[in-house]
Amino acid sequence: MNFGLFMWNLVLWQVAERTLFLWNNDHIRNLITQNRRVILPIIFPALERNTRGHWNQAVQSLTLNVKKIFSDADQEIFDECLVKFEEDEVKQMETREKRDLTWKCLEDVATSKVVSNEAVLVSKFISSVAIASGTSPRATAAG
């Protein structure tokens, strides 16, 4: 990791830590509790990701405190947000797997045609991968 990236991560960690400290302020906590139905669905994914894998232990601990505020204030909304987060995570994983499979198929088709110097035309839809026989790659790219 280069020095600039390291410093940027350090700044972001400090911002996250200071923000989470602020959420533990009594006045802020009261505002959060009053507006939990709006706030929690927006910030829940970030809180959950911090809890599951933030590299800084202080940020993880402070995040758990903020999650507890919401959980204590309204367990039902908290549980709904958790279910939605987990569903979204599954969808994202499926999308990632489909994208990886699509790229693998495209790479396989392109690799198989490298030897024969045939152009490979790819439309928006993976099911319509077509091979242009007898067309030079430059003519296809310009076309």
Side-chain angles (χ1 to χ4, degrees):
M1 180 184 309
N2 68 28
F3 183 72
L5 186 58
F6 170 76
M7 292 304 294
W8 182 247
N9 282 332
L10 184 62
V11 168
L12 290 177
W13 157 68
Q14 289 172 334
V15 169
E17 186 178 42
R18 299 292 183 258
T19 302
L20 290 165
F21 270 127
L22 181 64
W23 285 63
N24 286 298
N25 173 289
D26 287 336
H27 181 67
I28 299 296
R29 185 179 309 188
N30 289 335
L31 292 172
I32 291 169
T33 303
Q34 291 170 11
N35 297 291
R36 65 188 175 274
R37 294 185 186 283
V38 174
I39 295 172
L40 187 57
I42 295 169
I43 67 160
F44 190 87
L47 294 174
E48 193 62 27
R49 283 188 205 99
N50 274 0
T51 302
R52 292 182 181 193
H54 198 280
W55 62 270
N56 184 277
Q57 186 61 44
V59 170
Q60 281 187 349
S61 178
L62 290 166
T63 301
L64 287 171
N65 291 343
V66 172
K67 284 179 65 176
K68 181 156 178 37
I69 291 169
F70 283 110
S71 177
D72 290 347
D74 195 329
Q75 186 66 44
E76 184 179 339
I77 292 173
F78 187 87
D79 291 342
E80 288 172 10
C81 289
L82 180 58
V83 168
K84 183 174 180 336
F85 175 81
E86 290 171 348
E87 289 171 352
D88 290 347
E89 287 287 300
V90 169
K91 288 177 188 174
Q92 287 177 2
M93 187 183 312
E94 290 170 353
T95 301
R96 220 174 292 127
E97 289 171 357
K98 286 178 186 176
R99 183 175 42 239
D100 291 346
L101 181 59
T102 299
W103 275 110
K104 173 85 171 99
C105 289
L106 291 172
E107 288 170 351
D108 291 346
V109 169
T111 301
S112 71
K113 295 304 169 188
V114 166
V115 176
S116 66
N117 201 25
E118 292 180 59
V120 178
L121 299 177
V122 181
S123 79
K124 289 194 265 187
F125 307 102
I126 187 62
S127 61
S128 60
V129 173
I131 300 170
S133 300
T135 308
S136 77
R138 289 185 184 163
T140 304

PDB file of all heavy atoms in Angstrom, residues 33-58:
ATOM      1  N   THR A  33     -33.110   8.090  18.231  1.00  0.00           N
ATOM      2  CA  THR A  33     -34.232   7.287  18.703  1.00  0.00           C
ATOM      3  C   THR A  33     -35.557   7.804  18.165  1.00  0.00           C
ATOM      4  O   THR A  33     -36.412   7.030  17.736  1.00  0.00           O
ATOM      5  CB  THR A  33     -34.254   7.267  20.248  1.00  0.00           C
ATOM      6  OG1 THR A  33     -33.000   6.767  20.718  1.00  0.00           O
ATOM      7  CG2 THR A  33     -35.353   6.365  20.761  1.00  0.00           C
ATOM      8  N   GLN A  34     -35.717   9.117  18.141  1.00  0.00           N
ATOM      9  CA  GLN A  34     -36.958   9.705  17.636  1.00  0.00           C
ATOM     10  C   GLN A  34     -37.137   9.473  16.134  1.00  0.00           C
ATOM     11  O   GLN A  34     -38.262   9.365  15.650  1.00  0.00           O
ATOM     12  CB  GLN A  34     -36.983  11.213  17.912  1.00  0.00           C
ATOM     13  CG  GLN A  34     -37.111  11.568  19.364  1.00  0.00           C
ATOM     14  CD  GLN A  34     -36.894  13.059  19.602  1.00  0.00           C
ATOM     15  OE1 GLN A  34     -36.846  13.845  18.670  1.00  0.00           O
ATOM     16  NE2 GLN A  34     -36.747  13.433  20.872  1.00  0.00           N
ATOM     17  N   ASN A  35     -36.034   9.395  15.401  1.00  0.00           N
ATOM     18  CA  ASN A  35     -36.088   9.285  13.938  1.00  0.00           C
ATOM     19  C   ASN A  35     -35.570   7.942  13.431  1.00  0.00           C
ATOM     20  O   ASN A  35     -35.159   7.825  12.279  1.00  0.00           O
ATOM     21  CB  ASN A  35     -35.280  10.431  13.312  1.00  0.00           C
ATOM     22  CG  ASN A  35     -35.872  11.772  13.650  1.00  0.00           C
ATOM     23  OD1 ASN A  35     -36.946  12.110  13.172  1.00  0.00           O
ATOM     24  ND2 ASN A  35     -35.191  12.521  14.508  1.00  0.00           N
ATOM     25  N   ARG A  36     -35.633   6.925  14.263  1.00  0.00           N
ATOM     26  CA  ARG A  36     -35.053   5.628  13.937  1.00  0.00           C
ATOM     27  C   ARG A  36     -35.654   4.977  12.694  1.00  0.00           C
ATOM     28  O   ARG A  36     -34.974   4.289  11.968  1.00  0.00           O
ATOM     29  CB  ARG A  36     -35.139   4.698  15.129  1.00  0.00           C
ATOM     30  CG  ARG A  36     -36.553   4.332  15.529  1.00  0.00           C
ATOM     31  CD  ARG A  36     -36.599   3.559  16.844  1.00  0.00           C
ATOM     32  NE  ARG A  36     -37.957   3.325  17.278  1.00  0.00           N
ATOM     33  CZ  ARG A  36     -38.678   4.170  17.999  1.00  0.00           C
ATOM     34  NH1 ARG A  36     -38.158   5.329  18.354  1.00  0.00           N
ATOM     35  NH2 ARG A  36     -39.907   3.869  18.358  1.00  0.00           N
ATOM     36  N   ARG A  37     -36.942   5.196  12.451  1.00  0.00           N
ATOM     37  CA  ARG A  37     -37.594   4.567  11.292  1.00  0.00           C
ATOM     38  C   ARG A  37     -37.026   5.082   9.971  1.00  0.00           C
ATOM     39  O   ARG A  37     -37.043   4.382   8.979  1.00  0.00           O
ATOM     40  CB  ARG A  37     -39.099   4.802  11.330  1.00  0.00           C
ATOM     41  CG  ARG A  37     -39.789   4.116  12.489  1.00  0.00           C
ATOM     42  CD  ARG A  37     -41.305   4.264  12.426  1.00  0.00           C
ATOM     43  NE  ARG A  37     -41.942   3.728  13.603  1.00  0.00           N
ATOM     44  CZ  ARG A  37     -42.139   2.439  13.847  1.00  0.00           C
ATOM     45  NH1 ARG A  37     -41.722   1.558  12.983  1.00  0.00           N
ATOM     46  NH2 ARG A  37     -42.732   2.039  14.947  1.00  0.00           N
ATOM     47  N   VAL A  38     -36.529   6.298   9.982  1.00  0.00           N
ATOM     48  CA  VAL A  38     -35.921   6.880   8.783  1.00  0.00           C
ATOM     49  C   VAL A  38     -34.423   6.586   8.745  1.00  0.00           C
ATOM     50  O   VAL A  38     -33.880   6.193   7.710  1.00  0.00           O
ATOM     51  CB  VAL A  38     -36.162   8.412   8.749  1.00  0.00           C
ATOM     52  CG1 VAL A  38     -35.421   9.056   7.591  1.00  0.00           C
ATOM     53  CG2 VAL A  38     -37.644   8.714   8.678  1.00  0.00           C
ATOM     54  N   ILE A  39     -33.757   6.756   9.875  1.00  0.00           N
ATOM     55  CA  ILE A  39     -32.294   6.666   9.925  1.00  0.00           C
ATOM     56  C   ILE A  39     -31.792   5.240   9.783  1.00  0.00           C
ATOM     57  O   ILE A  39     -30.865   4.974   9.008  1.00  0.00           O
ATOM     58  CB  ILE A  39     -31.766   7.288  11.235  1.00  0.00           C
ATOM     59  CG1 ILE A  39     -32.062   8.788  11.246  1.00  0.00           C
ATOM     60  CG2 ILE A  39     -30.272   7.043  11.393  1.00  0.00           C
ATOM     61  CD1 ILE A  39     -31.751   9.464  12.562  1.00  0.00           C
ATOM     62  N   LEU A  40     -32.355   4.312  10.520  1.00  0.00           N
ATOM     63  CA  LEU A  40     -31.803   2.954  10.559  1.00  0.00           C
ATOM     64  C   LEU A  40     -31.742   2.276   9.192  1.00  0.00           C
ATOM     65  O   LEU A  40     -30.688   1.726   8.836  1.00  0.00           O
ATOM     66  CB  LEU A  40     -32.542   2.081  11.569  1.00  0.00           C
ATOM     67  CG  LEU A  40     -31.923   0.692  11.784  1.00  0.00           C
ATOM     68  CD1 LEU A  40     -30.465   0.812  12.227  1.00  0.00           C
ATOM     69  CD2 LEU A  40     -32.721  -0.096  12.798  1.00  0.00           C
ATOM     70  N   PRO A  41     -32.792   2.288   8.383  1.00  0.00           N
ATOM     71  CA  PRO A  41     -32.676   1.637   7.071  1.00  0.00           C
ATOM     72  C   PRO A  41     -31.571   2.230   6.185  1.00  0.00           C
ATOM     73  O   PRO A  41     -30.977   1.527   5.373  1.00  0.00           O
ATOM     74  CB  PRO A  41     -34.054   1.851   6.442  1.00  0.00           C
ATOM     75  CG  PRO A  41     -34.981   2.017   7.599  1.00  0.00           C
ATOM     76  CD  PRO A  41     -34.165   2.743   8.640  1.00  0.00           C
ATOM     77  N   ILE A  42     -31.273   3.501   6.387  1.00  0.00           N
ATOM     78  CA  ILE A  42     -30.242   4.151   5.581  1.00  0.00           C
ATOM     79  C   ILE A  42     -28.840   3.731   6.011  1.00  0.00           C
ATOM     80  O   ILE A  42     -27.985   3.436   5.181  1.00  0.00           O
ATOM     81  CB  ILE A  42     -30.385   5.689   5.662  1.00  0.00           C
ATOM     82  CG1 ILE A  42     -31.702   6.123   5.026  1.00  0.00           C
ATOM     83  CG2 ILE A  42     -29.200   6.388   5.001  1.00  0.00           C
ATOM     84  CD1 ILE A  42     -32.067   7.584   5.281  1.00  0.00           C
ATOM     85  N   ILE A  43     -28.610   3.701   7.316  1.00  0.00           N
ATOM     86  CA  ILE A  43     -27.249   3.457   7.794  1.00  0.00           C
ATOM     87  C   ILE A  43     -26.966   2.004   8.182  1.00  0.00           C
ATOM     88  O   ILE A  43     -25.817   1.650   8.403  1.00  0.00           O
ATOM     89  CB  ILE A  43     -26.906   4.373   8.982  1.00  0.00           C
ATOM     90  CG1 ILE A  43     -27.741   4.016  10.195  1.00  0.00           C
ATOM     91  CG2 ILE A  43     -27.039   5.821   8.612  1.00  0.00           C
ATOM     92  CD1 ILE A  43     -27.162   4.518  11.478  1.00  0.00           C
ATOM     93  N   PHE A  44     -27.994   1.178   8.233  1.00  0.00           N
ATOM     94  CA  PHE A  44     -27.794  -0.195   8.702  1.00  0.00           C
ATOM     95  C   PHE A  44     -26.728  -0.948   7.906  1.00  0.00           C
ATOM     96  O   PHE A  44     -25.880  -1.618   8.514  1.00  0.00           O
ATOM     97  CB  PHE A  44     -29.104  -0.988   8.707  1.00  0.00           C
ATOM     98  CG  PHE A  44     -28.963  -2.305   9.398  1.00  0.00           C
ATOM     99  CD1 PHE A  44     -29.145  -2.395  10.766  1.00  0.00           C
ATOM    100  CD2 PHE A  44     -28.612  -3.452   8.709  1.00  0.00           C
ATOM    101  CE1 PHE A  44     -28.984  -3.606  11.428  1.00  0.00           C
ATOM    102  CE2 PHE A  44     -28.454  -4.662   9.352  1.00  0.00           C
ATOM    103  CZ  PHE A  44     -28.639  -4.737  10.722  1.00  0.00           C
ATOM    104  N   PRO A  45     -26.728  -0.882   6.575  1.00  0.00           N
ATOM    105  CA  PRO A  45     -25.687  -1.626   5.841  1.00  0.00           C
ATOM    106  C   PRO A  45     -24.263  -1.223   6.246  1.00  0.00           C
ATOM    107  O   PRO A  45     -23.397  -2.093   6.414  1.00  0.00           O
ATOM    108  CB  PRO A  45     -25.968  -1.276   4.373  1.00  0.00           C
ATOM    109  CG  PRO A  45     -27.419  -0.937   4.338  1.00  0.00           C
ATOM    110  CD  PRO A  45     -27.692  -0.263   5.662  1.00  0.00           C
ATOM    111  N   ALA A  46     -24.017   0.064   6.438  1.00  0.00           N
ATOM    112  CA  ALA A  46     -22.685   0.511   6.846  1.00  0.00           C
ATOM    113  C   ALA A  46     -22.348   0.012   8.250  1.00  0.00           C
ATOM    114  O   ALA A  46     -21.224  -0.435   8.508  1.00  0.00           O
ATOM    115  CB  ALA A  46     -22.595   2.027   6.787  1.00  0.00           C
ATOM    116  N   LEU A  47     -23.325   0.072   9.143  1.00  0.00           N
ATOM    117  CA  LEU A  47     -23.101  -0.429  10.504  1.00  0.00           C
ATOM    118  C   LEU A  47     -22.778  -1.920  10.485  1.00  0.00           C
ATOM    119  O   LEU A  47     -21.850  -2.381  11.161  1.00  0.00           O
ATOM    120  CB  LEU A  47     -24.322  -0.170  11.382  1.00  0.00           C
ATOM    121  CG  LEU A  47     -24.667   1.289  11.692  1.00  0.00           C
ATOM    122  CD1 LEU A  47     -25.993   1.363  12.447  1.00  0.00           C
ATOM    123  CD2 LEU A  47     -23.551   1.958  12.480  1.00  0.00           C
ATOM    124  N   GLU A  48     -23.531  -2.662   9.710  1.00  0.00           N
ATOM    125  CA  GLU A  48     -23.332  -4.118   9.664  1.00  0.00           C
ATOM    126  C   GLU A  48     -21.972  -4.465   9.058  1.00  0.00           C
ATOM    127  O   GLU A  48     -21.276  -5.350   9.552  1.00  0.00           O
ATOM    128  CB  GLU A  48     -24.470  -4.771   8.880  1.00  0.00           C
ATOM    129  CG  GLU A  48     -24.531  -6.271   9.032  1.00  0.00           C
ATOM    130  CD  GLU A  48     -24.778  -6.748  10.458  1.00  0.00           C
ATOM    131  OE1 GLU A  48     -25.387  -6.023  11.256  1.00  0.00           O
ATOM    132  OE2 GLU A  48     -24.358  -7.881  10.773  1.00  0.00           O
ATOM    133  N   ARG A  49     -21.582  -3.757   7.998  1.00  0.00           N
ATOM    134  CA  ARG A  49     -20.265  -4.021   7.389  1.00  0.00           C
ATOM    135  C   ARG A  49     -19.147  -3.670   8.364  1.00  0.00           C
ATOM    136  O   ARG A  49     -18.145  -4.386   8.438  1.00  0.00           O
ATOM    137  CB  ARG A  49     -20.110  -3.251   6.081  1.00  0.00           C
ATOM    138  CG  ARG A  49     -20.873  -3.893   4.956  1.00  0.00           C
ATOM    139  CD  ARG A  49     -20.566  -3.242   3.605  1.00  0.00           C
ATOM    140  NE  ARG A  49     -21.690  -3.463   2.727  1.00  0.00           N
ATOM    141  CZ  ARG A  49     -22.654  -2.593   2.479  1.00  0.00           C
ATOM    142  NH1 ARG A  49     -22.618  -1.392   3.007  1.00  0.00           N
ATOM    143  NH2 ARG A  49     -23.659  -2.900   1.694  1.00  0.00           N
ATOM    144  N   ASN A  50     -19.295  -2.555   9.088  1.00  0.00           N
ATOM    145  CA  ASN A  50     -18.293  -2.207  10.100  1.00  0.00           C
ATOM    146  C   ASN A  50     -18.183  -3.303  11.149  1.00  0.00           C
ATOM    147  O   ASN A  50     -17.083  -3.688  11.553  1.00  0.00           O
ATOM    148  CB  ASN A  50     -18.655  -0.898  10.804  1.00  0.00           C
ATOM    149  CG  ASN A  50     -18.157   0.323  10.080  1.00  0.00           C
ATOM    150  OD1 ASN A  50     -17.521   0.236   9.037  1.00  0.00           O
ATOM    151  ND2 ASN A  50     -18.469   1.480  10.624  1.00  0.00           N
ATOM    152  N   THR A  51     -19.323  -3.784  11.609  1.00  0.00           N
ATOM    153  CA  THR A  51     -19.331  -4.818  12.643  1.00  0.00           C
ATOM    154  C   THR A  51     -18.659  -6.093  12.146  1.00  0.00           C
ATOM    155  O   THR A  51     -17.901  -6.724  12.877  1.00  0.00           O
ATOM    156  CB  THR A  51     -20.778  -5.145  13.062  1.00  0.00           C
ATOM    157  OG1 THR A  51     -21.402  -3.954  13.527  1.00  0.00           O
ATOM    158  CG2 THR A  51     -20.816  -6.186  14.156  1.00  0.00           C
ATOM    159  N   ARG A  52     -18.921  -6.457  10.917  1.00  0.00           N
ATOM    160  CA  ARG A  52     -18.423  -7.728  10.386  1.00  0.00           C
ATOM    161  C   ARG A  52     -16.966  -7.693   9.956  1.00  0.00           C
ATOM    162  O   ARG A  52     -16.330  -8.739   9.912  1.00  0.00           O
ATOM    163  CB  ARG A  52     -19.277  -8.163   9.195  1.00  0.00           C
ATOM    164  CG  ARG A  52     -20.677  -8.541   9.589  1.00  0.00           C
ATOM    165  CD  ARG A  52     -21.483  -9.009   8.415  1.00  0.00           C
ATOM    166  NE  ARG A  52     -22.844  -9.340   8.823  1.00  0.00           N
ATOM    167  CZ  ARG A  52     -23.691  -9.996   8.058  1.00  0.00           C
ATOM    168  NH1 ARG A  52     -23.342 -10.378   6.848  1.00  0.00           N
ATOM    169  NH2 ARG A  52     -24.901 -10.251   8.501  1.00  0.00           N
ATOM    170  N   GLY A  53     -16.447  -6.504   9.644  1.00  0.00           N
ATOM    171  CA  GLY A  53     -15.100  -6.593   9.109  1.00  0.00           C
ATOM    172  C   GLY A  53     -14.257  -5.340   9.102  1.00  0.00           C
ATOM    173  O   GLY A  53     -13.303  -5.268   8.344  1.00  0.00           O
ATOM    174  N   HIS A  54     -14.564  -4.343   9.919  1.00  0.00           N
ATOM    175  CA  HIS A  54     -13.700  -3.166   9.920  1.00  0.00           C
ATOM    176  C   HIS A  54     -12.374  -3.521  10.565  1.00  0.00           C
ATOM    177  O   HIS A  54     -12.326  -4.249  11.557  1.00  0.00           O
ATOM    178  CB  HIS A  54     -14.357  -1.997  10.664  1.00  0.00           C
ATOM    179  CG  HIS A  54     -13.728  -0.684  10.329  1.00  0.00           C
ATOM    180  ND1 HIS A  54     -12.553  -0.268  10.896  1.00  0.00           N
ATOM    181  CD2 HIS A  54     -14.105   0.284   9.455  1.00  0.00           C
ATOM    182  CE1 HIS A  54     -12.225   0.920  10.396  1.00  0.00           C
ATOM    183  NE2 HIS A  54     -13.159   1.268   9.520  1.00  0.00           N
ATOM    184  N   TRP A  55     -11.300  -3.010  10.008  1.00  0.00           N
ATOM    185  CA  TRP A  55      -9.955  -3.370  10.483  1.00  0.00           C
ATOM    186  C   TRP A  55      -9.620  -2.751  11.834  1.00  0.00           C
ATOM    187  O   TRP A  55      -8.742  -3.236  12.543  1.00  0.00           O
ATOM    188  CB  TRP A  55      -8.908  -2.968   9.449  1.00  0.00           C
ATOM    189  CG  TRP A  55      -8.861  -1.488   9.177  1.00  0.00           C
ATOM    190  CD1 TRP A  55      -9.575  -0.808   8.240  1.00  0.00           C
ATOM    191  CD2 TRP A  55      -8.068  -0.514   9.858  1.00  0.00           C
ATOM    192  NE1 TRP A  55      -9.275   0.529   8.298  1.00  0.00           N
ATOM    193  CE2 TRP A  55      -8.356   0.745   9.274  1.00  0.00           C
ATOM    194  CE3 TRP A  55      -7.161  -0.562  10.895  1.00  0.00           C
ATOM    195  CZ2 TRP A  55      -7.757   1.923   9.694  1.00  0.00           C
ATOM    196  CZ3 TRP A  55      -6.560   0.613  11.324  1.00  0.00           C
ATOM    197  CH2 TRP A  55      -6.858   1.838  10.712  1.00  0.00           C
ATOM    198  N   ASN A  56     -10.320  -1.686  12.228  1.00  0.00           N
ATOM    199  CA  ASN A  56     -10.002  -1.005  13.473  1.00  0.00           C
ATOM    200  C   ASN A  56     -10.952  -1.456  14.582  1.00  0.00           C
ATOM    201  O   ASN A  56     -12.164  -1.337  14.461  1.00  0.00           O
ATOM    202  CB  ASN A  56     -10.099   0.516  13.265  1.00  0.00           C
ATOM    203  CG  ASN A  56      -9.693   1.271  14.500  1.00  0.00           C
ATOM    204  OD1 ASN A  56     -10.497   1.450  15.397  1.00  0.00           O
ATOM    205  ND2 ASN A  56      -8.437   1.704  14.544  1.00  0.00           N
ATOM    206  N   GLN A  57     -10.380  -1.949  15.667  1.00  0.00           N
ATOM    207  CA  GLN A  57     -11.172  -2.482  16.776  1.00  0.00           C
ATOM    208  C   GLN A  57     -12.036  -1.408  17.435  1.00  0.00           C
ATOM    209  O   GLN A  57     -13.170  -1.678  17.830  1.00  0.00           O
ATOM    210  CB  GLN A  57     -10.253  -3.134  17.819  1.00  0.00           C
ATOM    211  CG  GLN A  57     -10.997  -3.842  18.920  1.00  0.00           C
ATOM    212  CD  GLN A  57     -11.873  -4.973  18.400  1.00  0.00           C
ATOM    213  OE1 GLN A  57     -11.466  -5.755  17.562  1.00  0.00           O
ATOM    214  NE2 GLN A  57     -13.099  -5.067  18.894  1.00  0.00           N
ATOM    215  N   ALA A  58     -11.538  -0.183  17.527  1.00  0.00           N
ATOM    216  CA  ALA A  58     -12.328   0.884  18.145  1.00  0.00           C
ATOM    217  C   ALA A  58     -13.572   1.184  17.317  1.00  0.00           C
ATOM    218  O   ALA A  58     -14.662   1.378  17.863  1.00  0.00           O
ATOM    219  CB  ALA A  58     -11.476   2.147  18.296  1.00  0.00           C
TER     220      ALA A  58
END
